[in-house]
Amino acid sequence: MANQTSILKHLQAKGVINEEGARKVLLERSRTNKTEEAIVRELSVASDKDIAQAKSEIFGIPFIDLSTISVPESALAEVPIDNLSRYRAVPFERGDGYVKVAMEDPFDIQATQALQGRYPQGTRVQVFISTHDSIGSILDRRVGDMMSSQVTEALEDANVPVTELADDTSGDSLSGSDLAAAPVARIVNSILQYAVKSKTSDIHIETMENRVRVRFRINGVMTERLALPKSLSSAVVSRVKILSNLKIDEKRVPQDGRFQVKMGTNKVDIRVSIMPMIYGEKAVMRLLESESENITLEQTGLRGNAFKVFLDALTVTNGIVLVTGPTGSGKTRTLACSLMKINDPKVNIISLEDPVEIRVPGVTQVQINPNVGLTFAFGLRAVLRQDPDVVMVGEIRDEETAQLAVQASLTGHLVLSTLHTNSSATAIPRLLDMGIEPYLLSSTIRAIAAQRLPRKICPHCIEAYPVTPEVLRNINETMGGIKDFDLISYINRLYASKNVGENKEKNVMKPVENGPDGTPVIYLYKGKGCDRCNGTGYTGRIGIFEVLNVSDKISRMVMEDVTDSDIKNTAVEEGMITMIQDGYLKALEGITTIEEVLRVSKE
């Protein structure tokens, strides 16, 4: 097999990677033990499709773009989905005596042999190479289809017709032995499997008047994917209780629990909340991956002056750095990335979290447990006796924790934490309301970042469209607060920066054009909807931020007990870009949409 250097040279020869990009790859290669192919992916100097096509041409393995063909159900059904997911393989054509299989890694001999063993003797397996995303899209869709079919079979096994939505309130109490029956267990397992593979953050099982509604929060948006008969409400919720070690016969008060599932190499911690409702009980499960993929602080969406201010605050030896926003806005991820950024064997970092969502190697992470008295305040006192340099407190919830955080920062520690406020400026009056003295607050707070998570436009179906005069007026009004900002110049500079080298063919941006009447035409972007994004036009999420730098002037304002709006106005005068402005900049770049920015900004 040819070495990885040939792939880099091939991509250079094809004009996909320019000399500067190749130098970056080789420089990073000299610093790490990673392969050049892995570095090319990390640095995004070539797309997965570029890399797959290069391998195809170098090694003589045919390339197939699965997004351009229809994969028959019969071809997928011959091999269990767990095997296909493990081998990252998709059988896309089946004929007499042969099967064509697309693989992410066609050089995985063990996977190829295992697949060969799944077919009748004499069947010829023809291996093709394809991209990670296209294979993942087919497998994810297959998992969703299988969830529906598995639930249908389980309902039939339970003698419940799929079309029947029976209002049966007679079976209010079920024993553990009843729930060990296969149908209910298979229904819950299918729901969990689909949630893990579709990267769902929350599952809602809600008992309604005449049915049980199952909704999944994917990319921050709730989607109903399944409806069960009302007669199974008690059984399904009780199955969740058994998994969480909760009381099955207690239906009058809320209960909280947790359990863990393992799928392949992924371990997923699941937090469970059971709440009594007028029609029965509601179960909400939050999925937290124990081993989450690494993401850098730069990839969160922080950039420009906001990134510089936040990074500068992380590099001081004492003070408080806060990340604010509602539940599910990505605060924990940003703090974890911050710890990864400053993580060093020379620095003792300890975190107090409830729960520990993201494991950071090298950081001492402590799980809060109020049931035994291990609260944030009690844990913080103990942590300060562990000689820490940096302390991360999952959330400042009360006056005692806030006071301890301030005292820790005053005694030479850098404290990172989160706060539930709508903007960066409102974090200051919130802490004052908790009883922190203004003079202490003004001398300890370094920076406050507020964030939200709008969905990103699907890169496979993105398209440009000209903005209407009303939208253009809204953009100009919103961006008018940015000092020395010129909309047309900004878009044209952005277009020029993306329209060079290896980015030229991938650039979907349009420069400002002149319309028939001579007025400038500005474009925004949206996703049409495709198989890769399940017709939504969105895949994944990106952070939009506002980072308030607590300057000397703002410190004096804190001492004077001014309003949060006055603090925000001063921060904007000093160069802060607001969260909505940051979102609009990302919309002009084709990363997200204005509709998404406005949707999450209202949270």
Side-chain angles (χ1 to χ4, degrees):
M1 179 176 149
N3 58 38
Q4 297 294 335
T5 306
S6 63
I7 293 178
L8 177 61
K9 289 180 179 177
H10 188 86
L11 290 170
Q12 279 186 272
K14 298 283 287 186
V16 175
I17 297 179
N18 59 19
E19 289 186 13
E20 183 182 353
R23 279 197 300 271
K24 289 179 181 178
V25 173
L26 294 173
L27 178 61
E28 185 67 18
R29 180 73 181 89
S30 66
R31 296 172 175 171
T32 68
N33 293 324
K34 298 175 184 176
T35 65
E36 284 177 350
E37 181 182 335
I39 295 169
V40 166
R41 293 181 194 276
E42 285 182 11
L43 297 180
S44 299
V45 292
S47 68
D48 279 348
K49 187 174 181 179
D50 292 329
I51 295 170
Q53 287 178 328
K55 283 184 171 182
S56 171
E57 294 167 7
I58 294 169
F59 304 119
I61 301 171
F63 171 80
I64 180 70
D65 187 351
L66 293 176
S67 65
T68 64
I69 64 173
S70 176
V71 178
E73 175 71 20
S74 57
L76 290 168
E78 286 190 83
V79 182
I81 186 63
D82 289 343
N83 293 64
L84 294 179
S85 298
R86 187 182 311 121
Y87 306 141
R88 300 296 297 173
V90 171
F92 63 91
E93 185 180 319
R94 185 72 162 97
D96 291 336
Y98 76 91
V99 59
K100 294 182 178 180
V101 180
M103 298 184 67
E104 188 177 331
D105 182 8
F107 306 110
D108 189 340
I109 305 301
Q110 186 177 359
T112 305
Q113 290 175 344
L115 282 171
Q116 179 77 62
R118 286 285 173 180
Y119 294 100
Q121 190 171 3
T123 303
R124 186 162 49 93
V125 176
Q126 301 175 21
V127 177
F128 288 67
I129 190 170
S130 194
T131 63
H132 174 86
D133 286 346
S134 63
I135 288 175
S137 176
I138 301 291
L139 295 178
D140 289 346
R141 191 162 65 246
R142 172 70 175 158
V143 170
D145 293 341
M146 288 190 67
M147 179 191 69
S148 299
S149 64
Q150 288 169 358
V151 169
T152 300
E153 290 173 9
L155 291 175
E156 290 171 349
D157 289 346
N159 296 319
V160 180
V162 180
T163 54
E164 179 184 338
L165 295 175
D167 189 2
D168 181 5
T169 56
S170 59
D172 284 339
S173 180
L174 287 169
S175 67
S177 60
D178 294 328
L179 291 167
V184 171
R186 292 212 320 262
I187 288 171
V188 175
N189 287 348
S190 296
I191 290 170
L192 291 173
Q193 285 177 1
Y194 177 77
V196 172
K197 292 187 176 180
S198 62
K199 298 191 181 300
T200 294
S201 61
D202 300 88
I203 306 168
H204 292 243
I205 302 176
E206 305 162 282
T207 306
M208 306 183 74
E209 186 176 4
N210 58 0
R211 65 188 175 117
V212 178
R213 179 172 67 174
V214 183
R215 294 191 290 172
F216 300 83
R217 188 179 293 278
I218 303 173
N219 290 333
V221 177
M222 294 276 275
T223 307
E224 182 175 343
R225 291 286 167 88
L226 191 64
L228 301 173
K230 175 70 180 291
S231 59
L232 288 183
S233 166
S234 186
V236 170
V237 173
S238 296
R239 174 64 180 168
V240 174
K241 287 181 179 179
I242 285 178
L243 291 171
S244 313
N245 200 25
L246 300 177
K247 296 178 182 177
I248 301 175
D249 56 349
E250 180 57 80
K251 301 182 181 231
R252 299 165 298 173
V253 297
Q255 297 188 70
D256 294 324
R258 65 181 63 211
F259 63 96
Q260 188 179 81
V261 297
K262 184 176 181 181
M263 290 190 63
T265 58
N266 284 351
K267 284 185 180 178
V268 181
D269 292 315
I270 300 178
R271 281 193 296 170
V272 177
S273 172
I274 308 291
M275 178 74 71
M277 301 166 56
I278 57 172
Y279 295 118
E281 292 179 287
K282 175 174 179 175
V284 175
M285 292 177 275
R286 168 155 287 190
L287 281 68
L288 310 167
E289 284 198 35
S290 297
E291 301 295 337
S292 186
E293 76 271 8
N294 288 334
I295 180 173
T296 64
L297 191 61
E298 292 84 350
Q299 292 171 314
T300 59
L302 268 171
R303 58 188 191 179
N305 187 58
F307 179 81
K308 181 181 182 301
V309 169
F310 193 77
L311 189 60
D312 287 347
L314 292 178
T315 54
V316 298
T317 56
N318 61 77
I320 299 175
V321 179
L322 294 175
V323 182
T324 74
T327 300
S329 59
K331 302 186 297 296
T332 302
R333 170 76 71 181
T334 300
L335 282 183
C337 293
S338 301
L339 295 184
M340 293 176 193
K341 190 74 175 177
I342 60 177
N343 195 6
D344 188 280
K346 300 174 184 177
V347 180
N348 182 21
I349 304 175
I350 305 179
S351 74
L352 294 164
E353 304 173 64
D354 184 22
V356 176
E357 297 184 27
I358 300 172
R359 307 289 169 86
V360 183
V363 173
T364 304
Q365 295 178 277
V366 180
Q367 172 77 52
I368 292 300
N369 188 354
N371 294 331
V372 297
L374 181 52
T375 62
F376 280 116
F378 184 83
L380 187 51
R381 285 195 186 92
V383 162
L384 294 177
R385 294 192 288 271
Q386 291 276 316
D387 185 32
D389 297 297
V390 179
V391 179
M392 196 268 269
V393 181
E395 182 183 346
I396 295 178
R397 295 176 178 172
D398 51 45
E399 179 180 350
E400 187 178 11
T401 307
Q403 295 280 8
L404 287 168
V406 169
Q407 292 302 321
S409 68
L410 288 171
T411 53
H413 305 89
L414 177 63
V415 180
L416 280 63
S417 189
T418 70
L419 203 61
H420 280 225
T421 61
N422 290 326
S423 67
S424 54
T426 52
I428 291 174
R430 174 72 189 279
L431 290 170
L432 292 172
D433 287 342
M434 286 184 177
I436 306 299
E437 293 294 337
Y439 73 92
L440 292 175
L441 200 58
S442 66
S443 60
T444 54
I445 296 288
R446 303 297 183 203
I448 306 170
Q451 72 174 95
R452 299 291 189 278
L453 286 178
R455 291 177 292 174
K456 293 193 294 185
I457 299 172
C458 174
H460 304 288
C461 61
I462 186 172
E463 63 177 4
Y465 67 94
V467 301
T468 63
E470 293 79 10
V471 173
L472 183 57
R473 274 197 298 274
N474 175 260
I475 293 173
N476 281 319
E477 289 171 3
T478 302
M479 310 306 283
I482 302 179
K483 188 177 180 181
D484 299 327
F485 180 81
D486 180 75
L487 181 61
I488 295 176
S489 298
Y490 174 80
I491 293 173
N492 285 334
R493 283 199 309 271
L494 199 58
Y495 171 78
S497 68
K498 289 176 173 288
N499 206 47
V500 295
E502 66 270 16
N503 293 320
K504 189 169 184 178
E505 291 185 8
K506 307 173 211 171
N507 185 20
V508 297
M509 279 196 67
K510 286 181 174 286
V512 178
E513 299 173 350
N514 288 326
D517 58 354
T519 57
V521 178
I522 290 173
Y523 290 86
L524 286 175
Y525 307 87
K526 62 182 179 181
K528 291 184 292 186
C530 64
D531 289 343
R532 305 282 188 90
C533 59
N534 291 321
T536 63
Y538 298 99
T539 55
R541 292 188 288 176
I542 188 74
I544 56 173
F545 293 83
E546 63 178 33
V547 179
L548 189 153
N549 179 29
V550 183
S551 62
D552 292 340
K553 185 174 182 180
I554 291 177
S555 293
R556 289 194 296 271
M557 294 176 72
V558 173
M559 294 283 291
E560 296 165 4
D561 197 24
V562 298
T563 64
D564 57 282
S565 59
D566 291 332
I567 293 173
K568 179 180 178 179
N569 292 337
T570 300
V572 169
E573 289 173 5
E574 292 181 347
M576 182 183 82
I577 293 178
T578 67
M579 196 156 42
I580 290 184
Q581 288 172 342
D582 186 41
Y584 274 37
L585 290 173
K586 290 181 169 76
L588 291 168
E589 193 174 338
I591 296 173
T592 186
T593 64
I594 284 180
E595 291 79 10
E596 271 296 291
V597 172
L598 295 176
R599 178 183 69 82
V600 299
S601 298
K602 293 176 183 176
E603 293 179 353

